[in-house]
Amino acid sequence: MEKKENNMAKKKPWEGRFSKSLDKDVQEFNNSISFDKKLASYDVFGSIIHVSQLSKVGLIEESESALIIKYLTQIKADVEQDNITFLDEFEDVHMNIEHILNTRMEEDGLLHIAGKLHTARSRNDQVALDTKLYLKDCTVKIIETIKLVISAIDGQIEDNQGVRIPGYTHLQKAQPILLSTHLNCWQEMLKRDVKRFKNNLELINYSPLGAGALAGTTLNLDREFTAKELGFAGVVENTMDSVSDRDYVMDFCSACATFMIHLSRICEELILWSTSEFKFIHIDDAYATGSSLMPNKKNPDVPELIRGKSGRVVGNLTSILVIMKSLPLAYNKDMQEDKEIIFDNEKTVIQCGFILSKFIANITFNLEKLAQDTKSDFISATYIVDELVAKKVPFRDAHHIVGNIVKYCNDNNKDLWDLTLEEAQNFNPHLDRDMKTILSKYYK
Ligand code: ARG
């Protein structure tokens, strides 16, 4: 059946006003079928709902709509089983699907009925519809992926209850914190990403179908009906807005970029933590790679690659913003450039989230090193300030006193924890025990 379709010399829907066929190079340049075929099942679904509306409002017969739907349903099944050959000469997914319908119905002597499908519709409202339907599903998949990362982090939090890790500001040791606080901070960023994607689902949820090319139609459509059947909350009221809006693509790309920036921050920390300078984590051997020259190396390729791919997703956001910048109303072909960006983001974001969730589930924390590093390098200095403040020493004085203690220890090559009672008393009489005794209570 497919072979026959390939050989059928069908005309393009718009050929009527042209006296020459399209230059081959222009055809290749103009085509989007090589990538927008990913929208095919959404395109057919949109057509099924569109045509059921046409009979509902009396623009075509009930029997005609039933026939078209029968053929479209088969085409949808073939699309889903990858059993369709798309043709370059039919430019994009919309014209390809219509061509397949025409071909199949012509074989059964029904071409005159197939020709009614595109009544009161344009590829402009069609492409907006397909893209919205695709993005809605894609967003749900991405949310599932983000939840995978959140739950991998949950696993580490549970396995490391009560463990401390140095907290940093300016990448200098600041104060000890619970590892669970640090890991939960990652989760909070990711939970906001989930919300951000969910918010997008609300904004995108209005149907552009029925807007035609830009001006709607003089024919009597039921846009509310198609919107509902297609799973939308309502219609995009303004017909020009229906076909010219790509905010939902920008919102999608923006949420993807923010998510990837979050992953890049998480990955950066994983990379730092795995270095011999930090030694906070051990990366599972199945998740690291070696060097072709240096036998000693074990490289954190996975988080590095995710960090790198965040650049690519930020690039995609920049691309869609610049594509849309200054575009006059309504539809312009520039907008065709949004598809590859969407598909690239989908692939990259889902892949990175999935791999990172596995990576995180398989790291082990070096508890000994963490215990050491949450005591050394004066990281507990703030506790001594608090100790003095609790004894009614004004905060500014307490801060100054402990600053002097740190300076003294530094000058004398001493660890804060080794300060004797006598030494402590020299700084303030309220420090009435040796430093080890004072500080130990903060590490219970
Ligand atoms: N392939 C086009 C796109 O992705 C579909 C809409 C084409 N509309 C048109 N009037 N040429 O934007």
Side-chain angles (χ1 to χ4, degrees), residues 66 77 88 133 171 378:
D88 280 347
L133 291 173
L171 199 55
F378 308 107

Side-chain angles (χ1 to χ4, degrees), residues 32 36 92 94 123-124 127 331 333 335-336 339:
S32 53
D36 69 12
D92 58 23
H94 324 294
R123 281 183 295 155
N124 297 353
V127 73
Y331 176 82
K333 188 80 167 191
M335 295 172 179
Q336 179 167 289
K339 311 290 177 307

Side-chain angles (χ1 to χ4, degrees), residues 75-144:
I75 293 173
K76 191 160 186 292
D78 289 343
V79 164
E80 277 154 14
Q81 283 158 28
D82 207 9
N83 206 12
I84 293 273
T85 309
F86 294 103
L87 301 177
D88 280 347
E89 62 197 279
F90 287 96
E91 203 176 305
D92 58 23
V93 64
H94 324 294
M95 278 167 46
N96 262 277
I97 296 291
E98 200 181 335
H99 163 68
I100 292 164
L101 179 76
N102 288 343
T103 310
R104 291 185 181 185
M105 289 191 81
E106 184 183 41
E107 279 170 1
D108 298 337
L110 298 169
L111 184 59
H112 59 294
I113 295 177
K116 299 193 174 190
L117 166 66
H118 208 56
T119 306
R121 191 176 67 169
S122 156
R123 281 183 295 155
N124 297 353
D125 54 349
Q126 217 178 335
V127 73
L129 171 65
D130 294 2
T131 309
K132 281 189 164 186
L133 291 173
Y134 188 91
L135 276 180
K136 279 170 70 171
D137 280 355
C138 173
T139 298
V140 171
K141 284 186 217 152
I142 291 178
I143 289 173
E144 290 313 309

